[in-house]
């Protein structure tokens, strides 16, 4: 794939950093944004070994002015940006009665509005330069409906819906969209996770450890999707099967299947 210019939120670790590594090795101009300044400063050197022009910028996706500053910097340094990956996200687990409204507001502000801010800030730049590409990282949680994850599921479902809408809305402006919906895989999602369920850290760690795919595998699938302008990326086979069953089975059959798997 021809080298381009890419900006990745949450790019200092996990899937974001895996994407940054692939792009840097491929000769892309890479900018990672992350609110973890210590981590960002620690990893940028490894990217610069492959791509000396690689950048790290402190960026909190809950702050519109942070993203506006990044867009301005990239326009000044690179003359624009080709791909924006809205990847930053957090997790919250808990029953609806036990999840506080402040936790709802926290996860919506990052998982949903963080993506909204990224799309809102960079769309004018994409239109100005005549092309652009959004990669919005959602989750299989946005397509399925596992109990005790209502806040997380809802934000990821909203990211899928937002991505679908923008694919239609921005097509005339030569702006493409990909929505990525991985299942559990080894990442740092449990760091900073909020949970009202005992032992959830251990359960989540077990689920992530059992995945046959890692962050690099998923990053490679994302790059292929961008090259082919594919809208929906469902990396995990088990997740794809569950989604197909949900779409085609009567609701009560799907629910029985779901509960038999999560007991």
């Amino acid at each position: 794939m021809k080298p381009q210019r890419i900006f990745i939120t949450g790019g200092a670790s996990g899937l974001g950093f895996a994407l940054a590594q692939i792009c840097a090795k491929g000769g892309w101009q890479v900018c990672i944004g992350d609110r973890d300044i210590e981590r960002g400063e620690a990893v940028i050197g490894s990217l610069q070994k492959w791509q000396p022009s690689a950048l790290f910028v402190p960026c909190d996706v809950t702050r519109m002015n942070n993203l506006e500053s990044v867009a301005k910097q990239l326009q000044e340094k690179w003359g624009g940006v080709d791909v924006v990956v809205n990847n930053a996200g957090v997790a919250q687990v808990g029953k609806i009665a036990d999840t506080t409204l402040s936790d709802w507001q926290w996860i919506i502000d990052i998982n949903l509005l963080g993506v909204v801010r990224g799309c809102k800030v960079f769309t004018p730049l994409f239109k100005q330069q005549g092309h652009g590409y959004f990669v919005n990282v959602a989750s299989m949680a946005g397509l399925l409906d596992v109990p005790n994850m209502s806040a997380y599921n809802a934000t990821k479902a909203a990211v899928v819906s937002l991505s679908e809408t923008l694919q239609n809305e921005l097509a005339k402006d030569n702006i493409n969209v990909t929505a990525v919906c991985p299942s559990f895989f080894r990442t740092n999602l449990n760091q900073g996770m909020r949970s009202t369920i005992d032992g959830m850290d251990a359960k989540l760690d077990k689920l992530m450890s059992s995945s046959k795919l890692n962050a690099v595998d998923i990053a490679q699938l994302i790059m292929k999707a961008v090259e082919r302008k594919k809208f929906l990326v469902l990396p995990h086979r088990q997740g794809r099967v569950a989604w197909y069953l949900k779409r085609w089975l009567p609701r009560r059959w799907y629910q029985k299947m779901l509960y038999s798997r999560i007991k």
Side-chain angles (χ1 to χ4, degrees):
M1 188 175 180
K2 182 180 177 182
Q4 298 182 57
R5 304 162 296 181
I6 189 169
F7 169 60
I8 306 165
T9 68
S13 61
L15 178 58
F17 187 62
L19 269 170
Q21 287 179 303
I22 289 173
C23 290
K25 290 178 182 178
W28 286 46
Q29 291 178 285
V30 178
C31 177
I32 57 171
D34 207 292
R35 64 178 178 177
D36 188 339
I37 297 174
E38 184 177 351
R39 175 71 180 172
E41 292 176 343
V43 302
I44 188 61
S46 64
L47 295 179
Q48 290 172 340
K49 290 179 181 178
W50 296 301
Q51 179 52 264
S53 65
L55 303 169
F56 163 66
V57 291
C59 181
D60 183 340
V61 298
T62 67
R63 298 180 180 276
M64 192 79 165
N65 61 352
N66 280 198
L67 288 158
E68 290 170 341
S69 176
V70 173
K72 183 179 179 180
Q73 287 183 57
L74 297 186
Q75 195 165 19
E76 291 173 351
K77 291 177 181 292
W78 294 351
V81 62
D82 303 299
V83 181
V84 170
V85 183
N86 292 302
N87 166 70
V90 292
Q92 194 284 332
V93 180
K95 297 179 182 298
I96 186 66
D98 300 328
T99 302
T100 65
L101 283 181
S102 63
D103 274 1
W104 273 92
Q105 290 166 339
W106 169 74
I107 197 170
I108 289 171
D109 200 21
I110 298 169
N111 285 9
L112 173 56
L113 292 181
V115 178
V116 171
R117 292 183 187 100
C119 293
K120 186 172 180 61
V121 166
F122 283 94
T123 291
L125 177 55
F126 283 171
K127 288 183 176 181
Q128 179 183 328
Q129 66 191 19
H131 70 278
Y133 207 121
F134 286 118
V135 176
N136 296 331
V137 179
S139 167
M140 283 306 300
L143 300 177
L144 305 177
D145 42 84
V146 178
N148 304 326
M149 296 179 65
S150 57
Y152 184 74
N153 294 352
T155 59
K156 293 302 186 177
V159 170
V160 173
S161 179
L162 171 68
S163 301
E164 291 171 338
T165 303
L166 293 183
Q167 184 191 36
N168 297 329
E169 181 179 323
L170 301 176
K172 66 181 182 303
D173 299 302
N174 196 30
I175 300 173
N176 294 289
V177 182
T178 289
V180 187
C181 295
S183 301
F184 293 107
F185 65 99
R186 173 57 63 185
T187 186
N188 60 338
L189 185 64
N190 58 340
Q191 294 181 10
M193 178 183 71
R194 296 186 182 183
S195 174
T196 59
I197 297 178
D198 292 338
M200 195 60 217
D201 280 340
K203 292 178 183 178
L204 183 58
D205 189 68
K206 183 178 179 181
L207 285 169
M208 292 192 297
S209 299
S210 66
S211 173
K212 294 181 180 179
L213 301 180
N214 58 33
V216 173
D217 297 323
I218 295 170
Q220 289 172 337
L221 291 172
I222 292 172
M223 296 307 295
K224 289 179 181 178
V226 171
E227 184 174 11
R228 299 170 184 173
K229 298 181 180 178
K230 179 181 179 182
F231 174 72
L232 192 60
V233 178
L234 308 177
H236 292 83
R237 181 181 181 278
Q238 188 175 18
R240 291 195 300 271
V241 170
W243 184 56
Y244 295 147
L245 292 175
K246 179 182 178 180
R247 293 173 68 197
W248 298 109
L249 287 178
R251 177 69 181 175
R252 64 183 182 278
W253 293 7
Y254 164 73
Q255 285 181 296
K256 287 181 180 179
M257 179 211 69
L258 177 65
Y259 277 101
S260 70
R261 288 176 179 268
I262 63 176
K263 282 181 179 179

